Structure formats: C-alpha cells, structure tokens
Amino acid sequence: MARKLGFYSVLLFIVYGLFFYWYLFYFADSKLPFEFQGTAADPATFLNTRELALSDEYSKLKNFMFFISTPLEWLIYLFILLFGFSKAFRKWGEDSGKYKIIQKAIYLFWLNLMAYIATFPLSYIGHKVSTDYHISTQSFPSWMKDELIDFWVNYVIMFVIFIVLYWLMNKSKKRWWLYAWLLSVPFTLFLTFIQPVIIDPLYNNFTALSDKQLEEKILALAKESNIPAEHVFEVNMSDKTNALNAYVTGIGSNSRIVLWDTTTKELKDNEILFVMAHEMAHYVEKHIYYGIALSLVLSFFGLYFIYKLMNVLVSKWGDALKISRVEDYQSFPLILLLISMLLFAVNPLTNIVSRYEEKRADNYAVQLTSDPEAGITTFQKLAKTGLSEVNPPFLVKVFRYSHPTMLERISVLEEKSILQKNSEN
C-alpha cells in the first residue's frame, strides 16, 4: 500500500507539473487586449523591447516555481510518513532526550531539517532566477543568513503550536480542534503585535526616515487620515533587491509606517505620497483586522476539516503512513500536509478579498492625494523594477495575485485622471 501511494503521488505530481508547464509556457496568452494598447497600462509605453522580453521570461519562471513548490511540499511530507522517517525522528528524540519536551523538540528539529533540505534546491533556484534577472541584489551569504533566520523563527513558532496541539489532542480526542482554534485567536494577535518590533528587525535594519521633509509630508497625510503616527521608518532593502515597496504593519501601539530605501531612491515625492496614502487606507479601513478575522474564520473550518480527515486517513491508511493513532505526534507531517493543501485551496478566496481591499486602497489614495497621475507613474515603475506581468494568465491571477493586475490598476487611474482633467477644464 505504501508503494502504491508513493507511486501514484509521484505520477500525479509529474502530470500536474507538466500541465502547468504547458499552460504557462505554451497555452496562456498574456497579450494586452486591443482596447488597452497605447494606453498608460500598455507595457510597451514604459518598457523597452528587452524589458518586455525579460518580463515575460521572468514571470513564466516564477509562476511555474510557485505552482510546483507547494505540491512538492505535500510530496515531501507524504514521503516522510511512507518511508518511516517520522517514526525514525521520534525514536531519535526518545533515545537522545530524557524529558518528553526535549524528545519532541529533537523530533521537530529533524522533521523541519529534512523538509528544509528537500525544498532547498527549489528555493535556491528561485533566488538564482531573481538574481539573474536583476530583481534580487542579495549575495548568497546574505540570502543564506535570511534562510537560516527563517528556519529558526519558523521552528520556534511551530514548536509552540506542536506542543500545544498534541497536548490538546491527548486531552480531548473529539474537541481538540475547537480548543486549538480558541487558543489560535490570542496567538495570532500576539504574533501580529510583535512582528514589527521583534521578528522584522531580525532580517533588516529599521531606522527613522532620513529625508525629514518627506517624513513631514507623510505624517501630514497620516494626520489627515487620523493615523496616530509620529515616525516613518526606512528599511535598508537595496542590499537585497531592486524592487520597490512600502507598507503599514502591526496592530495597536506597535503599528509602523515603513518605506523601503529602494522606494525613496526610485520614486518622486508625489509618487511616494500616493503609495503611502494607499498603505494608510489599509489602516483607516482596518484591513489588517479584517484579514485576521478572515484567517480565524477559515482556520475554524480548516481545523474541523483536518480533525475529520485525520481520523479517516489514519483508520484507512494508518499502516502505510506509519501512524497508529491521530494523537501520536508522529502524525504531525500529515497535519502539515493537510494544512498546506487547505491553504493552497483557499488561495483564490483570500486573493479575491485582498484584491477588493487593494482596489479600495487605490481609490482612497486618489481621494487623499488628488493625484491619479502619480499613481499611474508609480505602478509603471513598480512593473518596470519588478519585471511584473501587466496582464497575467487567468490561473496565475486566481492563485497568485493578492493585488489587482497592473492593467486593472493603471487603467482605472487613467480614467480617473481623464475625469479629473475634464472637470478642471
């Protein structure tokens, strides 16, 4: 049974990969609709011939890696179960540690390490592609440093979840999923609260914005939006990327307005103000809280689904998966596999919600700055520096795009700009 499961899983993965290779490289058509040709949204108006070709190549490669990376993760967790690695990791933990918490820590370390090693080649290829296309400027040692930070941050967070989850499973076999969800509420809020001041600084250096005149303009916008901000933070990203970005992060007193230094170097002041007005909209309209609420709703149903499915899978294929009981922490790779599958499945839904919020943020930025032209040039520069697809294929948009496409954003702003000019005349 284990061999059969493994064989058909690999076969399915190969068929899936071939489908997306065919879809992205041969079938999908990203050509601009006729009615948008020659408009501000037409990439031919702000990208040269070489940049257009590079954008097409880079987008196809990154999209393909996205679509195969998550199913590859499922395959890895499945093979960890089928080949008895999870059982072996547990034995290593029991042989190496006297206390149960130490045993579980060792088990989880080996599990995470194997998953990391198995996915490392694809991660490195992604880094190499970004470097080759001059999106990333990060050296390999710097990239590896971030990878190791990722590994340990994820390990610590996962260890807390792992310990609590299996403690609940052993305490209540029927309601552990509900208790786990209830505990996830304060845990999610806690992580969101500490991220700007504890987690983010592990990766980058945050300082006060050096351009004080620009900071005054941004804070004036914040005041107009009733955002209690006293500082704007600048993060040194030019050592890692040529891409542009800005964001508002955190909740409560730990909220931060952040600009990448690449953004301050590449964009004019009016363009930066448009970007910041867009980001402020997320704060004003409480999109962060809505995002947390949506994730908690989805996790409620997700945990219940995992609870039901775990019992079915263990009763039917427990021998092949080397799992005797659901509450045995040897089953953790199966939980990770199911969580990953559910997250992938709900991507289209969460992206729809996110695109709606981003559209509202664009509208808010126009209202606050009265400068849709700044938005147009900003998005053109974002597309240029990131080699972004202006009009991505349907499945790419559905599964990858948390923002409206550049075609949609620029064309809407162009309409607003024309209306504004007509009203002025």
Side-chain angles (χ1 to χ4, degrees):
M1 179 60 74
R3 288 183 180 180
K4 187 180 290 187
L5 279 174
F7 173 77
Y8 283 114
S9 297
V10 171
L11 183 62
L12 189 61
F13 176 75
I14 292 172
V15 172
Y16 168 90
L18 289 173
F19 167 77
F20 273 101
Y21 183 82
W22 166 79
Y23 176 77
L24 295 169
F25 288 89
Y26 294 100
F27 177 78
D29 185 9
S30 297
K31 290 181 180 178
L32 206 65
F34 174 79
E35 61 269 25
F36 294 104
Q37 292 178 11
T39 67
D42 185 349
T45 62
F46 57 88
L47 297 179
N48 59 41
T49 304
R50 175 170 170 75
E51 288 170 337
L52 286 169
L54 290 175
S55 174
D56 183 60
E57 293 172 9
Y58 178 72
S59 297
K60 286 176 179 176
L61 289 171
K62 294 295 285 187
N63 290 334
F64 182 66
M65 284 188 287
F66 166 81
F67 279 110
I68 66 169
S69 61
T70 303
L72 177 63
E73 183 182 299
W74 307 341
L75 203 62
I76 289 166
Y77 285 131
L78 179 62
F79 274 51
I80 285 173
L81 291 167
L82 293 177
F83 287 101
F85 287 112
S86 184
K87 185 177 182 180
F89 297 156
R90 174 175 179 160
K91 189 175 186 306
W92 294 352
E94 291 173 347
D95 292 343
S96 304
K98 180 179 179 181
Y99 301 101
K100 287 186 177 181
I101 194 166
I102 301 298
Q103 294 172 1
K104 291 177 180 179
I106 294 171
Y107 165 84
L108 189 62
F109 171 78
W110 284 111
L111 175 62
N112 280 10
L113 183 62
M114 184 171 187
Y116 175 79
I117 291 172
T119 56
F120 180 82
L122 194 60
S123 298
Y124 176 71
I125 291 171
H127 165 68
K128 189 72 169 59
V129 167
S130 294
T131 303
D132 289 346
Y133 282 84
H134 304 292
I135 305 300
S136 173
T137 59
Q138 193 172 19
S139 65
F140 179 75
S142 173
W143 178 76
M144 274 305 305
K145 177 186 174 184
D146 284 352
E147 286 286 298
L148 291 174
I149 293 172
D150 264 345
F151 178 87
W152 286 110
V153 169
N154 291 335
Y155 175 80
V156 170
I157 294 173
M158 191 178 291
F159 181 68
V160 174
I161 295 170
F162 174 71
I163 292 297
V164 173
L165 187 64
Y166 280 92
W167 178 77
L168 291 173
M169 281 183 170
N170 283 281
K171 288 292 182 180
S172 178
K173 295 180 182 180
K174 291 185 177 180
R175 292 189 177 87
W176 64 263
W177 64 273
L178 177 60
Y179 301 139
W181 179 80
L182 290 172
L183 289 175
S184 74
V185 177
F187 187 67
T188 301
L189 292 173
F190 174 72
L191 286 180
T192 308
F193 183 77
I194 68 168
Q195 181 178 337
V197 293
I198 295 179
I199 298 176
D200 288 348
L202 294 174
Y203 298 88
N204 301 295
N205 184 32
F206 290 79
T207 58
L209 184 62
S210 56
D211 188 337
K212 295 305 175 184
Q213 289 185 338
L214 177 60
E215 184 179 44
E216 287 180 10
K217 294 177 183 177
I218 294 172
L219 291 178
L221 280 182
K223 184 178 181 181
E224 194 173 341
S225 300
N226 296 316
I227 298 175
E230 297 180 359
H231 303 284
V232 178
F233 290 88
E234 185 175 20
V235 56
N236 180 22
M237 291 296 295
S238 54
D239 291 338
K240 297 182 179 182
T241 182
N242 287 318
L244 313 179
N245 198 15
Y247 57 90
V248 177
T249 186
I251 57 174
S253 60
N254 277 4
S255 297
R256 280 187 173 186
I257 300 173
V258 180
L259 269 171
W260 285 10
D261 65 334
T262 52
T263 304
T264 59
K265 291 173 184 176
E266 294 294 330
L267 298 186
K268 298 176 183 177
D269 279 10
N270 64 326
E271 295 168 338
I272 292 173
L273 291 176
F274 184 91
V275 171
M276 296 315 301
H278 169 99
E279 297 302 328
M280 289 173 190
H282 293 309
Y283 181 93
V284 171
E285 299 200 354
K286 297 179 172 57
H287 291 164
I288 294 174
Y289 296 97
Y290 290 141
I292 293 172
L294 177 61
S295 68
L296 291 174
V297 170
L298 291 175
S299 66
F300 176 84
F301 292 104
L303 282 168
Y304 178 73
F305 182 74
I306 288 171
Y307 156 72
K308 287 290 189 180
L309 197 54
M310 284 281 288
N311 286 312
V312 173
L313 293 174
V314 171
S315 63
K316 192 170 184 179
W317 290 300
D319 290 341
L321 298 172
K322 313 293 189 296
I323 303 172
S324 57
R325 297 176 297 118
V326 170
E327 60 273 16
D328 184 342
Y329 65 82
Q330 198 172 299
S331 67
F332 193 52
L334 183 58
I335 291 181
L336 294 176
L337 188 157
L338 294 176
I339 290 174
S340 181
M341 292 181 75
L342 287 175
L343 288 174
F344 189 79
V346 300
N347 251 354
L349 172 61
T350 56
N351 283 340
I352 287 172
V353 174
S354 179
R355 287 195 295 269
Y356 171 76
E357 291 176 345
E358 296 297 335
K359 184 178 179 180
R360 288 187 62 87
D362 283 349
N363 291 333
Y364 182 88
V366 172
Q367 293 172 10
L368 190 61
T369 64
S370 300
D371 194 357
E373 281 292 329
I376 292 172
T377 55
T378 296
F379 291 141
Q380 288 175 339
K381 290 179 181 179
L382 285 171
K384 186 181 181 73
T385 56
L387 292 180
S388 304
E389 284 182 295
V390 170
N391 186 35
F394 175 74
L395 290 180
V396 174
K397 178 182 176 180
V398 168
F399 281 93
R400 287 206 68 187
Y401 272 58
S402 58
H403 290 61
T405 66
M406 287 300 183
L407 174 63
E408 295 167 335
R409 301 179 86 173
I410 294 175
S411 59
V412 167
L413 289 174
E414 190 171 26
E415 288 179 9
K416 292 181 182 295
S417 178
I418 292 171
L419 288 173
Q420 185 183 73
K421 289 176 182 176
N422 289 339
S423 64
E424 290 173 354
N425 294 332

